[in-house]
Amino acid sequence: MAEGGEHENIPAELEEDPPEEKETKDTPTAAGGKKRIFQKELRCMMYGFGDDQNPYAESVDLLEDLVIEFITETTHKAMEVGRPGRVQVEDIVFLIRKDPRKYARVKDLLTMNEELKKARKAFDESTYVNVA
């Protein structure tokens, strides 16, 4: 992965375009013709974890391939665990139950999701009462 300052030695004409101009969610890459759907998010995550603000495209592509592979494998396993052909939240929780970090993160996200639902419902009810 690119470290800070490595891009300084690259001539301007060889420098890659900024991510906002170069990629869209529907743009396939030249190599392999795959749709790259997580480019922007992965670039931001890589920067947040200490990579260069504009990481190498190859690094982002590799990371995206790994993410897609993980999601695909987990989805297929979840389809085998629960009701055939369906993926439910409980299936994913069951699959990651032995990985403490993933399990804790999923539990946190599910709890936060429930809290957001309750807050939206309370807000909608209070707005409805005030309008009526």
Side-chain angles (χ1 to χ4, degrees), residues 1-3 6-7 10 14-19 22-23 27-31 34-40 42-43 46 51-66:
M1 292 190 192
E3 294 286 340
E6 286 185 15
H7 289 265
I10 299 174
L14 296 178
E15 189 77 37
E16 293 182 351
D17 294 336
K22 172 176 130 173
E23 48 135 333
T27 305
T29 60
K34 295 180 183 177
K35 286 188 179 181
R36 298 294 180 178
I37 56 176
F38 297 123
Q39 293 278 306
K40 183 178 179 184
L42 288 172
R43 285 179 188 273
M46 290 171 72
D51 203 337
D52 192 69
Q53 189 168 6
N54 293 310
Y56 292 128
E58 294 85 3
S59 299
V60 179
D61 290 347
L62 175 65
L63 194 56
E64 183 167 20
D65 289 342
L66 293 171

Side-chain angles (χ1 to χ4, degrees), residues 81-117:
V81 168
R83 293 174 53 190
R86 288 192 62 143
V87 176
Q88 295 180 332
V89 175
E90 294 80 19
D91 302 333
I92 303 295
V93 172
F94 177 79
L95 289 173
I96 62 162
R97 71 193 184 282
K98 294 182 182 176
D99 186 332
R101 293 178 74 189
K102 288 178 189 166
Y103 185 77
R105 181 66 175 149
V106 166
K107 282 300 198 186
D108 287 344
L109 290 172
L110 290 173
T111 302
M112 193 178 311
N113 189 38
E114 288 301 315
E115 290 174 7
L116 286 170
K117 283 181 184 179

